[in-house]
Amino acid sequence: MKKYIIIVLLICQTTLASTAKDSLDLNYSRYVPVYEFEDFCDACGCSASGGGMGFSSMLNQNFVGLRYMYQSYTSREGIFNNSPWIDENFNTIQAWARIPVFKNFQVSALVPYHFNSRRPSTGKQTIEGIGDITVLGLYTVYQTHKDSTLFVHTLQAGAGVKAPTGKYNDANNGSVNPSFQLGTGSWDYMLATEYVIKHKQWGFNTMLNYILKTKNDEYYQFGDQFNYAGTLFYVVEKEKLTLVPQVGLAGEVYASNRQYDEDVPNTKGDILFGKAGLEVGSGKFSLGVNAMLPINQNLTGGKVEANYRLAINLNYSL
């Protein structure tokens, strides 16, 4: 099944790009929304790196920076329908960067530090530490040339790896939310595509990616993850500022977790978010704010609910 999903992922984005014709490089071309990689994480924040907030900046194609992300969830304390609800908060501070290696190829990397908490009836529980480090390589497969066409098209594809640098605690899998972890404890791999079309100040970004997760040393395997998103953006250029408001939808689909090669009940799910954000750039610096609210969700059999996600980033353009 995995190979068919991956093939469809690549074909969908390639089909979109096949309609592209040579086009004009508009004067705001340096503000292309570079790769918005959704959620290198498991349901409810485990080793979250993107939190659905994107993997790169709208304003800075190559940069180094810091990003803070907050994810709010509510989950059942027990396995019964009348079990009380508890609050879970996932906080992440990331060092992130996007660095050009050679023509048409960039490497993105992020190093997350998590400090998460929840309040069951037994008292507040907290975990804190470095998360799983992610590295992603992206190649520009197709980009329109500079001529008089009205639309600009860009297609990127790439692959990456997530290293098990975050601590995995097998005892947390006994809770309703097994993703209350600093990391998956496994080497995970990803395939990704992105297609962007622009016309004057308007643009639309579409993204698909698939994350293949492997078994960790405790014989636990988080379910594979499929992410998709579409974002409409508009570039406003002032004398000393550039603003890029954006709005869109983002979705995540999780397969069942597995332990000792058996599916773990009530661990698969899906969620659809509405999202909005704004990035402001001046000189070499940019500041971004993004928020996501669930529209429809079914996580862990309805025993976990996402409330909202928020991210703030500060970048320095290379």
Side-chain angles (χ1 to χ4, degrees), residues 63-104:
F63 67 92
V64 294
L66 291 174
R67 177 166 62 169
Y68 167 74
M69 293 182 295
Y70 174 74
Q71 302 180 68
S72 171
Y73 293 88
T74 306
S75 67
R76 292 285 189 185
E77 186 175 6
I79 62 174
F80 303 106
N81 290 332
N82 62 351
S83 297
W85 292 94
I86 63 172
D87 293 328
E88 295 186 320
N89 301 294
F90 295 82
N91 299 272
T92 301
I93 295 177
Q94 290 179 348
W96 64 333
R98 181 183 175 97
I99 300 170
V101 178
F102 52 82
K103 184 179 179 181
N104 294 329

Side-chain angles (χ1 to χ4, degrees), residues 112-130:
Y113 188 90
H114 304 299
F115 43 106
N116 304 334
S117 65
R118 61 183 176 187
R119 293 184 177 275
S121 58
T122 54
K124 184 177 180 180
Q125 297 177 355
T126 60
I127 55 175
E128 180 178 340
I130 190 170

Side-chain angles (χ1 to χ4, degrees), residues 161-310:
V161 62
K162 182 175 66 62
T165 50
K167 182 179 179 181
Y168 170 83
N169 186 353
D170 185 59
N172 285 336
N173 286 333
S175 64
V176 171
N177 185 357
S179 292
F180 192 75
Q181 303 278 359
L182 296 176
T184 61
S186 61
W187 288 90
D188 300 332
Y189 306 95
M190 58 208 72
L191 295 174
T193 60
E194 181 199 42
Y195 174 68
V196 182
I197 182 171
K198 297 178 297 169
H199 174 65
K200 296 183 179 179
Q201 277 69 43
W202 289 97
F204 188 72
N205 173 298
T206 62
M207 180 280 304
L208 299 172
N209 66 68
Y210 189 81
I211 306 173
L212 300 96
K213 300 174 185 176
T214 65
K215 188 187 307 181
N216 61 29
D217 291 341
E218 302 295 331
Y219 301 99
Y220 197 90
Q221 181 177 350
F222 287 91
D224 288 355
Q225 184 174 335
F226 175 67
N227 303 307
Y228 58 93
T231 305
L232 180 69
F233 62 92
Y234 186 80
V235 179
V236 181
E237 290 192 278
K238 303 293 185 180
E239 183 177 352
K240 294 184 179 181
L241 290 176
T242 301
L243 296 88
V244 184
Q246 53 204 267
V247 65
L249 298 172
E252 305 160 6
V253 181
Y254 307 94
S256 292
N257 297 350
R258 295 175 64 83
Q259 190 166 32
Y260 299 105
D261 297 322
E262 296 290 337
D263 286 353
V264 179
N266 294 323
T267 54
K268 66 180 179 180
D270 59 84
I271 186 167
L272 176 66
F273 286 99
K275 62 177 185 175
L278 174 67
E279 279 202 81
V280 180
S282 178
K284 291 282 189 177
F285 290 93
S286 67
L287 178 68
V289 178
N290 286 273
M292 301 177 71
L293 290 174
I295 297 173
N296 184 63
Q297 60 180 302
N298 180 23
L299 300 174
T300 65
K303 292 181 171 58
V304 174
E305 292 186 358
N307 298 320
Y308 63 91
R309 297 176 182 176
L310 176 68

Side-chain angles (χ1 to χ4, degrees), residues 148-160:
S148 59
T149 308
L150 292 176
F151 293 93
V152 175
H153 307 263
T154 303
L155 174 66
Q156 288 186 303

